[in-house]
């Protein structure tokens, strides 16, 4: 019953036969390594780190070491006197090396903070430092935090200078509220409750619409189809997900919403950038051009 080929039988025997508590713990210590249950991880060894994960860890450790070395270098120069008197002008000037070190500290500091955040994610999700268990949904765990943030949001408001429908401030607030609801939804395990699950699917679709609407509005109003804008948006959408894929050993499709948003951004970009480019400054007041553009792109 405790062999690898009969790993499933040992669990069945614990259910069908009244076993002492010590025997159940012994059998679970063997079966959990084979069946890899999602209800707990006390007896399940963590998966070994892959080559990509090790290389990613080395990169972050090297960044931390570089940041510490730059701190030591800047402190040493500050101790010796970082300002040197300019005899000709009578002004103080910094040595060239000090400016370079201070400039390099900013990206190294950002990479170090990202590395610490990724290390925390890895410890929570990939290591056995914390127990993992199934979420048990109750109405209070979902609706009480939701009511709390709604009441809290009533006391934080400000006037908007925009009067157009679906302006930038309005859409940002809309997306922020949806993010809060989706976050509470995942933390509380509300996917087990079908009405909440169906409404959250609507929120996800609305968030996708908001993202596509924002990209369309930018291209429609600005007409900027340059490579810099494309790289900026793709980096902003995919940077965190790519780092998570490297650290957590997940596929890109696992974080499904980001590939979805990236795909539709590419569709919007190609549709508006192709000939004829119909922009607001070209089609303003000309209904024929708008109708022709709609028929062409549909």
């Amino acid at each position: 019953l405790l062999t690898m080929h009969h790993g499933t039988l040992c669990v069945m025997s614990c259910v069908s036969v009244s076993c002492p508590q010590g025997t159940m713990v012994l059998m679970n210590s063997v079966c959990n390594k084979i069946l890899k249950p999602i209800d707990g991880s006390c007896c399940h060894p963590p998966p070994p780190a892959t080559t990509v994960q090790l290389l990613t860890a080395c990169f972050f450790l090297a960044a931390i070491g570089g940041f510490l070395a730059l701190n030591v270098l800047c402190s040493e120069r500050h101790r010796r006197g970082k300002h040197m008197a300019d005899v000709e002008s009578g002004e103080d000037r910094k040595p060239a090396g000090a400016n370079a070190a201070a400039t390099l500290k900013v990206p190294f500091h950002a990479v170090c903070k990202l590395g610490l955040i990724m290390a925390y994610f890895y410890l929570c999700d990939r290591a056995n430092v914390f127990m993992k268990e199934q979420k048990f949904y109750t109405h209070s765990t979902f609706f009480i935090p939701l009511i709390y943030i709604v009441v809290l949001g009533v006391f934080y408001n400000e006037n908007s200078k925009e009067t157009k429908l679906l302006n930038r401030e309005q859409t940002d607030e809309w997306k922020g509220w949806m993010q809060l609801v989706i976050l509470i939804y995942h933390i509380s395990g509300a996917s087990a409750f079908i009405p909440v699950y169906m409404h959250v699917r609507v929120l996800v679709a609305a968030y996708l619409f908001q993202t596509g609407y924002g990209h369309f509005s930018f291209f429609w109003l600005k007409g900027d189809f340059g490579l810099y804008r494309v790289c900026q948006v793709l980096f902003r959408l995919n940077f965190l997900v790519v780092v998570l894929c490297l650290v957590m050993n997940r596929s890109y499709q696992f974080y499904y919403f980001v590939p979805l948003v990236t795909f539709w951004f590419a569709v919007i970009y190609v549709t508006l950038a192709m000939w004829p480019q119909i922009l607001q400054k070209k089609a303003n007041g000309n209904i024929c051009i708008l109708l022709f553009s709609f028929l062409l792109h549909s």
Side-chain angles (χ1 to χ4, degrees):
L1 292 177
L2 300 181
T3 60
M4 190 170 192
H5 298 288
H6 300 83
T8 56
L9 296 179
C10 65
V11 177
M12 295 175 62
S13 65
C14 289
V15 177
S16 59
V17 181
S18 177
C19 300
Q21 185 176 5
T23 306
M24 293 179 64
V25 172
L26 177 62
M27 299 177 76
N28 285 333
S29 66
V30 178
C31 294
N32 287 351
K33 297 179 181 179
I34 302 171
L35 299 179
K36 298 180 180 179
I38 58 176
D39 289 339
S41 59
C42 61
C43 303
H44 179 212
T50 62
T51 304
V52 175
Q53 289 176 304
L54 293 176
L55 291 176
T56 306
C58 292
F59 171 78
F60 284 121
L61 290 176
I64 294 175
F67 178 73
L68 294 177
L70 287 174
N71 270 338
V72 172
L73 181 62
C74 292
S75 300
E76 185 67 19
R77 287 180 177 177
H78 179 75
R79 187 179 62 85
R80 293 180 179 179
K82 61 180 179 179
H83 291 86
M84 297 183 302
D86 190 353
V87 179
E88 297 180 357
S89 61
E91 298 177 353
D92 290 343
R93 60 183 179 88
K94 295 181 180 180
N99 292 329
T103 304
L104 286 175
K105 281 181 62 176
V106 177
F108 272 94
H109 182 250
V111 174
C112 288
K113 289 198 296 185
L114 179 63
L116 293 177
I117 294 172
M118 292 297 110
Y120 175 72
F121 286 175
Y122 182 86
L123 290 177
C124 291
D125 193 69
R126 284 293 177 270
N128 283 349
V129 179
F130 305 103
M131 273 291 296
K132 302 170 182 61
E133 61 180 10
Q134 288 280 56
K135 298 176 182 178
F136 297 97
Y137 169 77
T138 58
H139 293 314
S140 60
T141 57
F142 176 76
F143 288 103
I144 289 179
L146 191 62
I147 296 173
Y148 173 76
I149 62 171
V150 170
V151 173
L152 190 65
V154 172
F155 298 97
Y156 292 91
N157 56 74
E158 59 183 12
N159 297 326
S160 175
K161 299 179 181 179
E162 297 287 341
T163 57
K164 296 180 180 179
L165 180 65
L166 294 181
N167 58 72
R168 179 65 180 271
E169 296 179 356
Q170 189 180 42
T171 54
D172 285 347
E173 183 177 0
W174 186 359
K175 289 192 290 186
W177 280 107
M178 289 191 295
Q179 286 180 359
L180 287 174
V181 174
I182 294 173
L183 181 63
I184 297 173
Y185 163 83
H186 284 292
I187 292 178
S188 61
S191 58
F193 188 49
I194 299 301
V196 174
Y197 171 81
M198 297 176 66
H199 283 83
V200 169
R201 293 300 96 191
V202 175
L203 293 184
V204 173
Y207 200 99
L208 179 63
F209 164 76
Q210 287 288 347
T211 305
Y213 175 78
H215 295 315
F216 168 80
S217 299
F218 178 86
F219 291 130
W220 174 257
L221 297 174
K222 304 293 184 181
D224 182 10
F225 298 98
L227 183 62
Y228 175 79
R229 170 66 183 179
V230 176
C231 295
Q232 184 184 42
V233 173
L234 292 179
F235 178 84
R236 189 172 67 237
L237 291 176
N238 292 273
F239 174 72
L240 179 60
V241 171
V242 171
V243 176
L244 284 173
C245 290
L246 297 176
V247 174
M248 311 301 289
N249 192 26
R250 294 288 193 184
S251 63
Y252 180 62
Q253 294 296 330
F254 180 80
Y255 306 96
Y256 67 96
F257 190 77
V258 173
L260 180 65
V261 173
T262 303
F263 170 78
W264 283 110
F265 167 75
V267 171
I268 293 172
Y269 174 80
V270 172
T271 303
L272 295 177
M274 65 183 296
W275 184 88
Q277 289 185 2
I278 307 299
L279 307 177
Q280 185 189 40
K281 57 184 179 182
K282 296 181 181 179
N284 193 13
N286 195 331
I287 191 64
C288 295
I289 296 180
L290 288 174
L291 182 60
F292 173 73
S293 175
F294 175 76
L295 295 175
L296 178 65
H297 294 312
S298 60

